[in-house]
Amino acid sequence: MATGRTHRPATRSRGIPEATVARLPLYLRALTALSERSVPTVSSEELAAAAGVNSAKLRKDFSYLGSYGTRGVGYDVEYLVYQISRELGLTQDWPVVIVGIGNLGAALANYGGFASRGFRVAALIDADPAMAGKPVAGIAVQHTDELEKIIEDNGVHIGVIATPAGAAQQVSERLIAAGVTSILNFAPTVLQVPDGVDVRKVDLSIELQILAFHEQRKAGEEATAEAVVADAVAEAAAKDVKDTAAEQSAEAKRTAAAEAAVPSAARAEATARTESTDRKGPDGDVPAVMPA
Amino acid sequence: MATGRTHRPATRSRGIPEATVARLPLYLRALTALSERSVPTVSSEELAAAAGVNSAKLRKDFSYLGSYGTRGVGYDVEYLVYQISRELGLTQDWPVVIVGIGNLGAALANYGGFASRGFRVAALIDADPAMAGKPVAGIAVQHTDELEKIIEDNGVHIGVIATPAGAAQQVSERLIAAGVTSILNFAPTVLQVPDGVDVRKVDLSIELQILAFHEQRKAGEEATAEAVVADAVAEAAAKDVKDTAAEQSAEAKRTAAAEAAVPSAARAEATARTESTDRKGPDGDVPAVMPA
DNA sequence: CCGTGTGAAGCAATTCACAGCG
DNA sequence: CGCTGTGAATTGCTTCACACGG
């Protein structure tokens, strides 16, 4: 999942839990699909199945919004669509800017899911002068120099950052200074922002890493004796390295660990892996995009 | 954040909390940056700041992996990089396939962050015959017909779905049947998968909707009297509609709510919004991509 | 009688605060 | 003395189970 940042601690009485807020768009999507099929009502059970959650959770979530269902019947689809849209603030128009029009930025600009939810791409911004004026998704790309003016003229409060990691912090500062208070960050960096500014981040490689973790577990369950042994050796070697940490240079240590950890046949591959991890370019994992 | 699906309930003793797993890649990124700057050690305080979390949480997280720090000193950067990489399973090579080579799929194929973390794009797959053979990010796109063969020949366990929503479920079934057990889903649909298969989803428009929710709250705080009144009216109108729900058609109801909700000046805009929400195309929010 | 709405119980994650070790 | 590692306290989320109302 993309990850988020906690907001203020539920300002007052009508505080909807963050976890619930994160699921509302899911319900909305399921409801919209039902609405298109002209389904008049749904039970919590049905809707929950469509949204991929369990029904108790769904009912609890809706209870924070109010009593919008009918006992013995279920929920009125159209009515719920309206209520959730309103709660999410989708009954108004949100102009957004996308900064960094590389592969990813362009994909985002072309993404139909924004427009259909009340998000209007007000401008595309890139630091590359060669990009300026080029149309992407039917909108002419503008140069970073115009950033402040664009934000202010369009009353933009939400910005999307799809620049390389190195540019992201600076871009966020300019966005915020110009009036943006919510940022969706695709650059693989932690943004430092003042209080009152919300940042949500989406990091593609983080999601894959989490999957790899679970995948590894699965593999471990049907582990061959060999693999188990290899792992035990690695563990032991690792401990060893740690124990002597004080006397060795960091570099030597890591190498020693990698070498000791992987016996015979597996060695070549594991070593290669370790090296390529090290070789990663500076701030290298950029989702795409423009030269800062 | 992108959202995930819970896994099995911590199979045995060494169960690392899911929340911790989700942060490990973050720590790894911060540590890699330090490593590149040849920083030998970090304190939990420093590393936490770099990763954007608080230090108590970080220490607790690391405590699940083992005692890898040195009291009074901090953590050895290289050593921790190695331990976390190993825990995440990044010391091995993970071939992945990307299905759906539209704007988003192409952006993912070009994304440098995968390769640098041990993920190797083994194949790009698209249903459009016209795409077959075309090189994207230096790899020739293959046709969906080849899907099973590709998965099996390359021993792929992780698949990325970047198709339109309508194609996603079917693609996931084929991937799973061929041996994939972890899926990163960019299509705006809930995938139905058997036990033992992990799905993580990234939905761009969901992230924006969550931001919009908070953004709306911020606006509400500096609310003008007018806005507050308008909202109260909307609330009352909504209740009213609900009360008479039984006698009205769903469609009439929603319209009534929208009309009653928004007095005078604000009306035009709000009505427009409601309409456009309704007008959304069927399965319309596709991140990009190939015709199924 | 069926499905919502919700207190209460159960879990999981976060934060606190400090003992213990280098 | 400083910083890690961790029990204990706390907060927040999920799940259970059933009373209540249409």
Side-chain angles (χ1 to χ4, degrees):
Chain A
M1 130 191 125
T3 333
R5 167 139 317 173
T6 326
H7 201 50
R8 79 206 69 196
T11 317
R12 70 196 59 173
S13 57
R14 227 232 268 166
I16 300 177
E18 191 59 31
T20 295
V21 172
R23 279 187 298 266
L24 291 181
L26 225 59
Y27 301 143
L28 184 55
R29 190 163 73 196
L31 285 164
T32 305
L34 292 171
S35 167
E36 273 154 17
R37 292 168 37 214
S38 302
V39 176
T41 59
V42 261
S43 66
S44 61
E45 203 71 54
E46 293 163 332
L47 184 53
V53 304
N54 85 37
S55 64
K57 199 186 307 200
L58 178 142
R59 287 200 302 278
K60 181 65 92 179
D61 283 342
F62 286 177
S63 80
Y64 294 116
L65 309 184
S67 286
Y68 292 159
T70 308
R71 291 169 198 240
V73 178
Y75 300 91
D76 180 281
V77 172
E78 294 294 330
Y79 180 64
L80 244 196
V81 165
Y82 173 72
Q83 287 303 336
I84 295 178
S85 295
R86 195 168 58 89
E87 196 65 58
L88 284 172
L90 305 181
T91 51
Q92 64 187 276
D93 178 72
W94 293 104
V96 305
V97 296
I98 301 176
V99 186
I101 312 303
N103 283 302
L104 181 60
L108 295 173
N110 279 295
Y111 178 45
F114 291 165
S116 67
R117 295 276 189 290
F119 299 99
R120 179 171 49 82
V121 178
L124 306 178
I125 302 175
D126 198 292
D128 182 357
M131 289 287 296
K134 282 196 186 169
V136 172
I139 303 173
V141 175
Q142 295 177 269
H143 190 263
T144 313
D145 290 350
E146 316 287 332
L147 190 146
E148 285 77 10
K149 182 167 166 39
I150 295 167
I151 302 290
E152 285 154 24
D153 288 359
N154 292 277
V156 173
H157 289 114
I158 301 178
V160 177
I161 298 182
T163 66
Q169 178 63 38
Q170 204 200 344
V171 166
S172 78
E173 285 164 15
R174 289 182 63 182
L175 288 173
I176 292 165
V180 164
T181 47
S182 289
I183 294 177
L184 180 50
N185 180 32
F186 286 87
T189 316
V190 175
L191 292 182
Q192 210 61 43
V193 301
D195 274 10
V197 175
D198 276 303
V199 177
R200 295 191 65 85
K201 58 179 155 12
V202 175
D203 188 316
L204 312 174
S205 94
I206 283 182
E207 299 303 319
L208 276 188
Q209 289 173 61
I210 296 171
L211 284 178
F213 173 86
H214 293 306
E215 198 56 46
Q216 181 182 228
R217 288 262 155 139
K218 291 176 202 164
E221 262 154 43
E222 63 226 24
T224 60
E226 185 189 14
V228 171
V229 170
D231 212 49
V233 173
E235 193 68 52
K239 273 296 178 199
D240 226 51
V241 167
K242 176 172 161 40
D243 293 345
T244 56
E247 300 92 39
Q248 299 185 33
S249 82
E251 177 61 18
K253 247 185 298 171
R254 208 250 317 99
T255 307
E259 300 230 322
V262 188
S264 64
R267 161 111 36 121
E269 198 199 306
T271 307
R273 190 72 284 295
T274 307
E275 276 167 4
S276 86
T277 297
D278 289 356
R279 236 190 291 109
K280 210 179 64 21
D283 256 349
D285 354 281
V286 167
V289 201
M290 88 187 187
Chain B
M1 103 191 121
T3 335
R5 168 139 314 172
T6 326
H7 201 50
R8 79 206 67 197
T11 316
R12 68 197 59 173
S13 59
R14 227 231 269 168
I16 300 178
E18 190 57 32
T20 295
V21 172
R23 281 187 296 266
L24 291 181
L26 224 61
Y27 301 143
L28 184 56
R29 191 165 72 197
L31 284 164
T32 305
L34 291 171
S35 166
E36 271 155 18
R37 292 168 36 214
S38 302
V39 176
T41 59
V42 261
S43 67
S44 62
E45 203 71 55
E46 293 163 333
L47 183 54
V53 303
N54 83 37
S55 64
K57 198 187 304 199
L58 179 142
R59 286 199 303 277
K60 180 65 93 179
D61 283 343
F62 285 177
S63 80
Y64 295 116
L65 309 184
S67 286
Y68 292 159
T70 308
R71 289 168 198 244
V73 178
Y75 301 90
D76 180 282
V77 171
E78 295 293 330
Y79 180 64
L80 245 195
V81 165
Y82 173 74
Q83 288 302 336
I84 294 179
S85 295
R86 195 168 59 90
E87 196 65 57
L88 284 172
L90 305 181
T91 50
Q92 63 187 277
D93 177 72
W94 294 104
V96 305
V97 298
I98 301 176
V99 185
I101 312 303
N103 283 303
L104 181 59
L108 294 173
N110 280 295
Y111 178 44
F114 292 164
S116 67
R117 296 277 190 289
F119 299 100
R120 178 171 49 83
V121 178
L124 306 179
I125 301 175
D126 198 292
D128 182 357
M131 290 288 296
K134 280 196 188 169
V136 171
I139 302 172
V141 175
Q142 294 178 266
H143 189 264
T144 313
D145 291 348
E146 315 287 333
L147 190 147
E148 285 77 11
K149 182 167 166 39
I150 295 167
I151 302 290
E152 286 155 22
D153 288 359
N154 291 277
V156 173
H157 289 113
I158 301 178
V160 177
I161 297 181
T163 67
Q169 177 63 40
Q170 205 199 344
V171 166
S172 78
E173 285 164 14
R174 288 182 64 182
L175 288 173
I176 293 165
V180 164
T181 47
S182 289
I183 293 177
L184 180 52
N185 180 33
F186 286 88
T189 316
V190 175
L191 292 182
Q192 209 61 44
V193 300
D195 274 11
V197 175
D198 276 302
V199 177
R200 293 191 66 85
K201 60 177 153 14
V202 175
D203 187 317
L204 313 174
S205 95
I206 283 182
E207 299 303 319
L208 275 188
Q209 290 174 59
I210 296 170
L211 284 178
F213 173 85
H214 293 304
E215 197 56 45
Q216 182 182 228
R217 288 264 156 135
K218 290 177 202 165
E221 262 155 45
E222 64 224 23
T224 60
E226 185 188 13
V228 171
V229 170
D231 211 48
V233 173
E235 191 68 52
K239 272 296 176 198
D240 225 51
V241 168
K242 174 173 163 38
D243 293 344
T244 57
E247 299 91 40
Q248 298 185 35
S249 82
E251 176 60 18
K253 245 185 303 172
R254 208 249 317 103
T255 308
E259 300 232 320
V262 187
S264 66
R267 162 112 34 121
E269 198 200 305
T271 307
R273 193 71 281 297
T274 306
E275 276 166 4
S276 85
T277 297
D278 289 355
R279 237 190 291 108
K280 211 180 62 21
D283 256 348
D285 357 277
V286 168
V289 202
M290 88 187 188

